[in-house]
PDB file of all heavy atoms in Angstrom:
ATOM      1  N   GLY X 286      70.927  29.184 187.829  1.00  0.00           N
ATOM      2  CA  GLY X 286      72.175  29.838 188.181  1.00  0.00           C
ATOM      3  C   GLY X 286      72.021  30.779 189.365  1.00  0.00           C
ATOM      4  O   GLY X 286      72.868  30.824 190.268  1.00  0.00           O
ATOM      5  N   LEU X 287      70.940  31.541 189.380  1.00  0.00           N
ATOM      6  CA  LEU X 287      70.695  32.480 190.478  1.00  0.00           C
ATOM      7  C   LEU X 287      70.510  31.739 191.799  1.00  0.00           C
ATOM      8  O   LEU X 287      71.085  32.123 192.827  1.00  0.00           O
ATOM      9  CB  LEU X 287      69.457  33.318 190.181  1.00  0.00           C
ATOM     10  CG  LEU X 287      69.598  34.378 189.089  1.00  0.00           C
ATOM     11  CD1 LEU X 287      68.219  34.884 188.663  1.00  0.00           C
ATOM     12  CD2 LEU X 287      70.456  35.547 189.566  1.00  0.00           C
ATOM     13  N   ALA X 288      69.694  30.684 191.788  1.00  0.00           N
ATOM     14  CA  ALA X 288      69.446  29.935 193.018  1.00  0.00           C
ATOM     15  C   ALA X 288      70.698  29.204 193.486  1.00  0.00           C
ATOM     16  O   ALA X 288      70.986  29.146 194.687  1.00  0.00           O
ATOM     17  CB  ALA X 288      68.303  28.947 192.806  1.00  0.00           C
ATOM     18  N   THR X 289      71.466  28.654 192.548  1.00  0.00           N
ATOM     19  CA  THR X 289      72.711  27.983 192.917  1.00  0.00           C
ATOM     20  C   THR X 289      73.679  28.968 193.550  1.00  0.00           C
ATOM     21  O   THR X 289      74.300  28.678 194.583  1.00  0.00           O
ATOM     22  CB  THR X 289      73.357  27.328 191.688  1.00  0.00           C
ATOM     23  OG1 THR X 289      72.449  26.378 191.118  1.00  0.00           O
ATOM     24  CG2 THR X 289      74.649  26.618 192.072  1.00  0.00           C
ATOM     25  N   ALA X 290      73.811  30.139 192.951  1.00  0.00           N
ATOM     26  CA  ALA X 290      74.713  31.163 193.496  1.00  0.00           C
ATOM     27  C   ALA X 290      74.260  31.592 194.886  1.00  0.00           C
ATOM     28  O   ALA X 290      75.074  31.712 195.815  1.00  0.00           O
ATOM     29  CB  ALA X 290      74.773  32.359 192.557  1.00  0.00           C
ATOM     30  N   PHE X 291      72.958  31.807 195.056  1.00  0.00           N
ATOM     31  CA  PHE X 291      72.453  32.243 196.357  1.00  0.00           C
ATOM     32  C   PHE X 291      72.741  31.203 197.437  1.00  0.00           C
ATOM     33  O   PHE X 291      73.271  31.528 198.511  1.00  0.00           O
ATOM     34  CB  PHE X 291      70.950  32.515 196.275  1.00  0.00           C
ATOM     35  CG  PHE X 291      70.324  32.721 197.617  1.00  0.00           C
ATOM     36  CD1 PHE X 291      70.484  33.928 198.294  1.00  0.00           C
ATOM     37  CD2 PHE X 291      69.605  31.695 198.228  1.00  0.00           C
ATOM     38  CE1 PHE X 291      69.926  34.111 199.559  1.00  0.00           C
ATOM     39  CE2 PHE X 291      69.049  31.877 199.487  1.00  0.00           C
ATOM     40  CZ  PHE X 291      69.213  33.081 200.154  1.00  0.00           C
ATOM     41  N   TYR X 292      72.404  29.945 197.159  1.00  0.00           N
ATOM     42  CA  TYR X 292      72.586  28.914 198.176  1.00  0.00           C
ATOM     43  C   TYR X 292      74.060  28.578 198.399  1.00  0.00           C
ATOM     44  O   TYR X 292      74.461  28.221 199.522  1.00  0.00           O
ATOM     45  CB  TYR X 292      71.794  27.662 197.806  1.00  0.00           C
ATOM     46  CG  TYR X 292      70.317  27.782 198.123  1.00  0.00           C
ATOM     47  CD1 TYR X 292      69.354  27.756 197.117  1.00  0.00           C
ATOM     48  CD2 TYR X 292      69.890  27.927 199.445  1.00  0.00           C
ATOM     49  CE1 TYR X 292      68.005  27.864 197.421  1.00  0.00           C
ATOM     50  CE2 TYR X 292      68.537  28.050 199.746  1.00  0.00           C
ATOM     51  CZ  TYR X 292      67.604  28.015 198.738  1.00  0.00           C
ATOM     52  OH  TYR X 292      66.259  28.128 199.045  1.00  0.00           O
ATOM     53  N   LEU X 293      74.873  28.674 197.361  1.00  0.00           N
ATOM     54  CA  LEU X 293      76.309  28.442 197.545  1.00  0.00           C
ATOM     55  C   LEU X 293      76.912  29.505 198.460  1.00  0.00           C
ATOM     56  O   LEU X 293      77.710  29.186 199.356  1.00  0.00           O
ATOM     57  CB  LEU X 293      77.020  28.454 196.190  1.00  0.00           C
ATOM     58  CG  LEU X 293      77.249  27.113 195.509  1.00  0.00           C
ATOM     59  CD1 LEU X 293      77.907  27.315 194.146  1.00  0.00           C
ATOM     60  CD2 LEU X 293      78.105  26.197 196.379  1.00  0.00           C
ATOM     61  N   LYS X 294      76.548  30.748 198.235  1.00  0.00           N
ATOM     62  CA  LYS X 294      77.099  31.830 199.061  1.00  0.00           C
ATOM     63  C   LYS X 294      76.631  31.686 200.497  1.00  0.00           C
ATOM     64  O   LYS X 294      77.369  32.001 201.431  1.00  0.00           O
ATOM     65  CB  LYS X 294      76.681  33.184 198.488  1.00  0.00           C
ATOM     66  CG  LYS X 294      77.495  34.339 199.038  1.00  0.00           C
ATOM     67  CD  LYS X 294      78.976  34.212 198.684  1.00  0.00           C
ATOM     68  CE  LYS X 294      79.799  35.348 199.232  1.00  0.00           C
ATOM     69  NZ  LYS X 294      81.236  35.217 198.907  1.00  0.00           N
ATOM     70  N   ARG X 295      75.419  31.205 200.676  1.00  0.00           N
ATOM     71  CA  ARG X 295      74.919  31.026 202.034  1.00  0.00           C
ATOM     72  C   ARG X 295      75.640  29.874 202.726  1.00  0.00           C
ATOM     73  O   ARG X 295      75.952  29.949 203.922  1.00  0.00           O
ATOM     74  CB  ARG X 295      73.415  30.761 202.015  1.00  0.00           C
ATOM     75  CG  ARG X 295      72.777  30.861 203.395  1.00  0.00           C
ATOM     76  CD  ARG X 295      71.274  30.780 203.349  1.00  0.00           C
ATOM     77  NE  ARG X 295      70.801  29.406 203.159  1.00  0.00           N
ATOM     78  CZ  ARG X 295      69.592  28.987 203.537  1.00  0.00           C
ATOM     79  NH1 ARG X 295      68.742  29.841 204.087  1.00  0.00           N
ATOM     80  NH2 ARG X 295      69.216  27.751 203.342  1.00  0.00           N
ATOM     81  N   ALA X 296      75.918  28.797 201.976  1.00  0.00           N
ATOM     82  CA  ALA X 296      76.580  27.631 202.570  1.00  0.00           C
ATOM     83  C   ALA X 296      78.085  27.819 202.701  1.00  0.00           C
ATOM     84  O   ALA X 296      78.711  27.262 203.619  1.00  0.00           O
ATOM     85  CB  ALA X 296      76.283  26.395 201.718  1.00  0.00           C
ATOM     86  N   LEU X 297      78.677  28.595 201.761  1.00  0.00           N
ATOM     87  CA  LEU X 297      80.135  28.830 201.759  1.00  0.00           C
ATOM     88  C   LEU X 297      80.386  30.333 201.690  1.00  0.00           C
ATOM     89  O   LEU X 297      80.740  30.871 200.637  1.00  0.00           O
ATOM     90  CB  LEU X 297      80.785  28.126 200.561  1.00  0.00           C
ATOM     91  CG  LEU X 297      80.730  26.600 200.515  1.00  0.00           C
ATOM     92  CD1 LEU X 297      81.215  26.093 199.166  1.00  0.00           C
ATOM     93  CD2 LEU X 297      81.583  26.008 201.638  1.00  0.00           C
ATOM     94  N   PRO X 298      80.206  31.047 202.805  1.00  0.00           N
ATOM     95  CA  PRO X 298      80.344  32.511 202.775  1.00  0.00           C
ATOM     96  C   PRO X 298      81.697  32.991 202.293  1.00  0.00           C
ATOM     97  O   PRO X 298      81.793  34.070 201.700  1.00  0.00           O
ATOM     98  CB  PRO X 298      80.101  32.911 204.245  1.00  0.00           C
ATOM     99  CG  PRO X 298      79.348  31.769 204.839  1.00  0.00           C
ATOM    100  CD  PRO X 298      79.832  30.547 204.142  1.00  0.00           C
ATOM    101  N   ALA X 299      82.736  32.191 202.529  1.00  0.00           N
ATOM    102  CA  ALA X 299      84.084  32.615 202.135  1.00  0.00           C
ATOM    103  C   ALA X 299      84.395  32.328 200.673  1.00  0.00           C
ATOM    104  O   ALA X 299      85.442  32.755 200.160  1.00  0.00           O
ATOM    105  CB  ALA X 299      85.119  31.933 203.035  1.00  0.00           C
ATOM    106  N   ALA X 300      83.524  31.603 199.998  1.00  0.00           N
ATOM    107  CA  ALA X 300      83.785  31.251 198.598  1.00  0.00           C
ATOM    108  C   ALA X 300      83.745  32.498 197.718  1.00  0.00           C
ATOM    109  O   ALA X 300      82.961  33.423 197.941  1.00  0.00           O
ATOM    110  CB  ALA X 300      82.773  30.230 198.111  1.00  0.00           C
ATOM    111  N   ASP X 301      84.588  32.502 196.711  1.00  0.00           N
ATOM    112  CA  ASP X 301      84.638  33.587 195.726  1.00  0.00           C
ATOM    113  C   ASP X 301      83.824  33.132 194.513  1.00  0.00           C
ATOM    114  O   ASP X 301      84.269  32.272 193.751  1.00  0.00           O
ATOM    115  CB  ASP X 301      86.093  33.859 195.353  1.00  0.00           C
ATOM    116  CG  ASP X 301      86.239  34.973 194.332  1.00  0.00           C
ATOM    117  OD1 ASP X 301      85.253  35.712 194.114  1.00  0.00           O
ATOM    118  OD2 ASP X 301      87.334  35.102 193.751  1.00  0.00           O
ATOM    119  N   LEU X 302      82.622  33.683 194.356  1.00  0.00           N
ATOM    120  CA  LEU X 302      81.742  33.281 193.263  1.00  0.00           C
ATOM    121  C   LEU X 302      81.897  34.214 192.073  1.00  0.00           C
ATOM    122  O   LEU X 302      81.912  35.439 192.230  1.00  0.00           O
ATOM    123  CB  LEU X 302      80.278  33.294 193.705  1.00  0.00           C
ATOM    124  CG  LEU X 302      79.861  32.380 194.861  1.00  0.00           C
ATOM    125  CD1 LEU X 302      78.349  32.442 195.035  1.00  0.00           C
ATOM    126  CD2 LEU X 302      80.316  30.949 194.622  1.00  0.00           C
ATOM    127  N   VAL X 303      81.987  33.638 190.886  1.00  0.00           N
ATOM    128  CA  VAL X 303      82.011  34.396 189.643  1.00  0.00           C
ATOM    129  C   VAL X 303      80.869  33.875 188.776  1.00  0.00           C
ATOM    130  O   VAL X 303      80.837  32.696 188.429  1.00  0.00           O
ATOM    131  CB  VAL X 303      83.339  34.229 188.887  1.00  0.00           C
ATOM    132  CG1 VAL X 303      83.390  35.183 187.694  1.00  0.00           C
ATOM    133  CG2 VAL X 303      84.526  34.440 189.803  1.00  0.00           C
ATOM    134  N   VAL X 304      79.915  34.748 188.451  1.00  0.00           N
ATOM    135  CA  VAL X 304      78.742  34.340 187.677  1.00  0.00           C
ATOM    136  C   VAL X 304      78.841  34.920 186.268  1.00  0.00           C
ATOM    137  O   VAL X 304      78.887  36.136 186.089  1.00  0.00           O
ATOM    138  CB  VAL X 304      77.433  34.812 188.350  1.00  0.00           C
ATOM    139  CG1 VAL X 304      76.229  34.309 187.556  1.00  0.00           C
ATOM    140  CG2 VAL X 304      77.364  34.326 189.795  1.00  0.00           C
ATOM    141  N   PHE X 305      78.875  34.044 185.285  1.00  0.00           N
ATOM    142  CA  PHE X 305      78.945  34.443 183.880  1.00  0.00           C
ATOM    143  C   PHE X 305      77.555  34.321 183.252  1.00  0.00           C
ATOM    144  O   PHE X 305      76.858  33.324 183.452  1.00  0.00           O
ATOM    145  CB  PHE X 305      79.912  33.548 183.099  1.00  0.00           C
ATOM    146  CG  PHE X 305      81.345  33.628 183.553  1.00  0.00           C
ATOM    147  CD1 PHE X 305      81.823  32.787 184.550  1.00  0.00           C
ATOM    148  CD2 PHE X 305      82.213  34.550 182.984  1.00  0.00           C
ATOM    149  CE1 PHE X 305      83.142  32.845 184.968  1.00  0.00           C
ATOM    150  CE2 PHE X 305      83.533  34.621 183.392  1.00  0.00           C
ATOM    151  CZ  PHE X 305      84.003  33.771 184.389  1.00  0.00           C
ATOM    152  N   GLU X 306      77.176  35.316 182.483  1.00  0.00           N
ATOM    153  CA  GLU X 306      75.886  35.294 181.794  1.00  0.00           C
ATOM    154  C   GLU X 306      76.045  35.950 180.428  1.00  0.00           C
ATOM    155  O   GLU X 306      76.570  37.060 180.320  1.00  0.00           O
ATOM    156  CB  GLU X 306      74.828  36.019 182.610  1.00  0.00           C
ATOM    157  CG  GLU X 306      73.523  36.318 181.887  1.00  0.00           C
ATOM    158  CD  GLU X 306      72.868  35.092 181.275  1.00  0.00           C
ATOM    159  OE1 GLU X 306      72.744  34.074 181.982  1.00  0.00           O
ATOM    160  OE2 GLU X 306      72.495  35.147 180.080  1.00  0.00           O
ATOM    161  N   ALA X 307      75.609  35.236 179.389  1.00  0.00           N
ATOM    162  CA  ALA X 307      75.773  35.747 178.026  1.00  0.00           C
ATOM    163  C   ALA X 307      74.977  37.021 177.790  1.00  0.00           C
ATOM    164  O   ALA X 307      75.418  37.919 177.061  1.00  0.00           O
ATOM    165  CB  ALA X 307      75.377  34.676 177.016  1.00  0.00           C
ATOM    166  N   GLU X 308      73.792  37.109 178.395  1.00  0.00           N
ATOM    167  CA  GLU X 308      72.961  38.301 178.207  1.00  0.00           C
ATOM    168  C   GLU X 308      73.408  39.425 179.138  1.00  0.00           C
ATOM    169  O   GLU X 308      74.143  39.205 180.098  1.00  0.00           O
ATOM    170  CB  GLU X 308      71.491  37.964 178.466  1.00  0.00           C
ATOM    171  CG  GLU X 308      70.938  36.869 177.570  1.00  0.00           C
ATOM    172  CD  GLU X 308      70.946  37.252 176.100  1.00  0.00           C
ATOM    173  OE1 GLU X 308      70.746  38.457 175.803  1.00  0.00           O
ATOM    174  OE2 GLU X 308      71.159  36.374 175.252  1.00  0.00           O
ATOM    175  N   GLN X 309      72.911  40.632 178.858  1.00  0.00           N
ATOM    176  CA  GLN X 309      73.276  41.790 179.668  1.00  0.00           C
ATOM    177  C   GLN X 309      72.503  41.840 180.989  1.00  0.00           C
ATOM    178  O   GLN X 309      72.749  42.731 181.804  1.00  0.00           O
ATOM    179  CB  GLN X 309      73.021  43.081 178.879  1.00  0.00           C
ATOM    180  CG  GLN X 309      73.911  43.256 177.655  1.00  0.00           C
ATOM    181  CD  GLN X 309      75.368  43.520 178.039  1.00  0.00           C
ATOM    182  OE1 GLN X 309      75.676  43.907 179.152  1.00  0.00           O
ATOM    183  NE2 GLN X 309      76.265  43.306 177.083  1.00  0.00           N
ATOM    184  N   ARG X 310      71.605  40.909 181.191  1.00  0.00           N
ATOM    185  CA  ARG X 310      70.798  40.871 182.404  1.00  0.00           C
ATOM    186  C   ARG X 310      70.719  39.439 182.903  1.00  0.00           C
ATOM    187  O   ARG X 310      70.914  38.486 182.144  1.00  0.00           O
ATOM    188  CB  ARG X 310      69.381  41.383 182.120  1.00  0.00           C
ATOM    189  CG  ARG X 310      68.758  40.654 180.962  1.00  0.00           C
ATOM    190  CD  ARG X 310      67.270  40.760 180.867  1.00  0.00           C
ATOM    191  NE  ARG X 310      66.801  39.899 179.770  1.00  0.00           N
ATOM    192  CZ  ARG X 310      66.611  38.603 179.867  1.00  0.00           C
ATOM    193  NH1 ARG X 310      66.864  37.991 181.009  1.00  0.00           N
ATOM    194  NH2 ARG X 310      66.184  37.898 178.839  1.00  0.00           N
ATOM    195  N   ALA X 311      70.444  39.304 184.192  1.00  0.00           N
ATOM    196  CA  ALA X 311      70.214  37.981 184.756  1.00  0.00           C
ATOM    197  C   ALA X 311      68.769  37.559 184.497  1.00  0.00           C
ATOM    198  O   ALA X 311      67.920  38.365 184.126  1.00  0.00           O
ATOM    199  CB  ALA X 311      70.501  37.999 186.252  1.00  0.00           C
ATOM    200  N   GLY X 312      68.501  36.273 184.693  1.00  0.00           N
ATOM    201  CA  GLY X 312      67.127  35.789 184.600  1.00  0.00           C
ATOM    202  C   GLY X 312      66.867  34.766 183.518  1.00  0.00           C
ATOM    203  O   GLY X 312      65.881  34.041 183.596  1.00  0.00           O
ATOM    204  N   GLY X 313      67.696  34.722 182.474  1.00  0.00           N
ATOM    205  CA  GLY X 313      67.418  33.785 181.391  1.00  0.00           C
ATOM    206  C   GLY X 313      66.072  34.092 180.754  1.00  0.00           C
ATOM    207  O   GLY X 313      65.792  35.232 180.382  1.00  0.00           O
ATOM    208  N   LYS X 314      65.220  33.069 180.683  1.00  0.00           N
ATOM    209  CA  LYS X 314      63.889  33.259 180.094  1.00  0.00           C
ATOM    210  C   LYS X 314      62.904  33.866 181.078  1.00  0.00           C
ATOM    211  O   LYS X 314      61.776  34.199 180.702  1.00  0.00           O
ATOM    212  CB  LYS X 314      63.362  31.933 179.548  1.00  0.00           C
ATOM    213  CG  LYS X 314      64.163  31.413 178.360  1.00  0.00           C
ATOM    214  CD  LYS X 314      63.603  30.125 177.825  1.00  0.00           C
ATOM    215  CE  LYS X 314      64.381  29.653 176.602  1.00  0.00           C
ATOM    216  NZ  LYS X 314      65.767  29.248 176.954  1.00  0.00           N
ATOM    217  N   LEU X 315      63.304  33.984 182.350  1.00  0.00           N
ATOM    218  CA  LEU X 315      62.458  34.678 183.327  1.00  0.00           C
ATOM    219  C   LEU X 315      62.721  36.173 183.185  1.00  0.00           C
ATOM    220  O   LEU X 315      63.706  36.700 183.682  1.00  0.00           O
ATOM    221  CB  LEU X 315      62.772  34.218 184.753  1.00  0.00           C
ATOM    222  CG  LEU X 315      62.392  32.791 185.124  1.00  0.00           C
ATOM    223  CD1 LEU X 315      62.660  32.543 186.599  1.00  0.00           C
ATOM    224  CD2 LEU X 315      60.941  32.488 184.788  1.00  0.00           C
ATOM    225  N   GLN X 316      61.845  36.835 182.483  1.00  0.00           N
ATOM    226  CA  GLN X 316      62.034  38.251 182.175  1.00  0.00           C
ATOM    227  C   GLN X 316      60.663  38.927 182.098  1.00  0.00           C
ATOM    228  O   GLN X 316      59.768  38.459 181.394  1.00  0.00           O
ATOM    229  CB  GLN X 316      62.762  38.402 180.832  1.00  0.00           C
ATOM    230  CG  GLN X 316      62.947  39.837 180.388  1.00  0.00           C
ATOM    231  CD  GLN X 316      63.514  39.931 178.986  1.00  0.00           C
ATOM    232  OE1 GLN X 316      63.723  38.926 178.326  1.00  0.00           O
ATOM    233  NE2 GLN X 316      63.759  41.133 178.524  1.00  0.00           N
ATOM    234  N   THR X 317      60.505  39.995 182.836  1.00  0.00           N
ATOM    235  CA  THR X 317      59.284  40.795 182.777  1.00  0.00           C
ATOM    236  C   THR X 317      59.570  42.077 182.018  1.00  0.00           C
ATOM    237  O   THR X 317      60.487  42.822 182.378  1.00  0.00           O
ATOM    238  CB  THR X 317      58.767  41.131 184.189  1.00  0.00           C
ATOM    239  OG1 THR X 317      58.622  39.929 184.943  1.00  0.00           O
ATOM    240  CG2 THR X 317      57.423  41.847 184.112  1.00  0.00           C
ATOM    241  N   VAL X 318      58.805  42.320 180.972  1.00  0.00           N
ATOM    242  CA  VAL X 318      58.998  43.507 180.132  1.00  0.00           C
ATOM    243  C   VAL X 318      57.802  44.429 180.325  1.00  0.00           C
ATOM    244  O   VAL X 318      56.647  44.004 180.156  1.00  0.00           O
ATOM    245  CB  VAL X 318      59.146  43.119 178.647  1.00  0.00           C
ATOM    246  CG1 VAL X 318      59.293  44.374 177.785  1.00  0.00           C
ATOM    247  CG2 VAL X 318      60.339  42.195 178.460  1.00  0.00           C
ATOM    248  N   GLU X 319      58.061  45.686 180.665  1.00  0.00           N
ATOM    249  CA  GLU X 319      56.977  46.652 180.870  1.00  0.00           C
ATOM    250  C   GLU X 319      56.875  47.583 179.666  1.00  0.00           C
ATOM    251  O   GLU X 319      57.870  48.178 179.236  1.00  0.00           O
ATOM    252  CB  GLU X 319      57.204  47.463 182.146  1.00  0.00           C
ATOM    253  CG  GLU X 319      56.042  48.390 182.472  1.00  0.00           C
ATOM    254  CD  GLU X 319      56.065  48.904 183.900  1.00  0.00           C
ATOM    255  OE1 GLU X 319      56.735  48.279 184.752  1.00  0.00           O
ATOM    256  OE2 GLU X 319      55.397  49.921 184.163  1.00  0.00           O
ATOM    257  N   ILE X 320      55.666  47.693 179.118  1.00  0.00           N
ATOM    258  CA  ILE X 320      55.396  48.561 177.971  1.00  0.00           C
ATOM    259  C   ILE X 320      54.149  49.381 178.272  1.00  0.00           C
ATOM    260  O   ILE X 320      53.048  48.827 178.398  1.00  0.00           O
ATOM    261  CB  ILE X 320      55.175  47.739 176.674  1.00  0.00           C
ATOM    262  CG1 ILE X 320      56.350  46.792 176.406  1.00  0.00           C
ATOM    263  CG2 ILE X 320      54.972  48.673 175.488  1.00  0.00           C
ATOM    264  CD1 ILE X 320      56.118  45.850 175.238  1.00  0.00           C
TER     265      ILE X 320
END
């Protein structure tokens, strides 16, 4: 989703992008947790 949004905005600067994500953060399973 992140890569699609980035490349879409680059290819279609005038497009209005709306990104929905169920979690409170982006990344899906790509998540770094610091403890």
Side-chain angles (χ1 to χ4, degrees):
L287 288 166
T289 301
F291 169 77
Y292 281 116
L293 265 177
K294 196 62 180 179
R295 192 172 77 156
L297 295 171
D301 180 14
L302 300 186
V303 188
V304 183
F305 297 89
E306 168 55 48
E308 301 297 326
Q309 294 291 341
R310 53 162 185 82
K314 293 181 178 67
L315 291 185
Q316 177 187 3
T317 306
V318 178
E319 185 164 340
I320 306 173

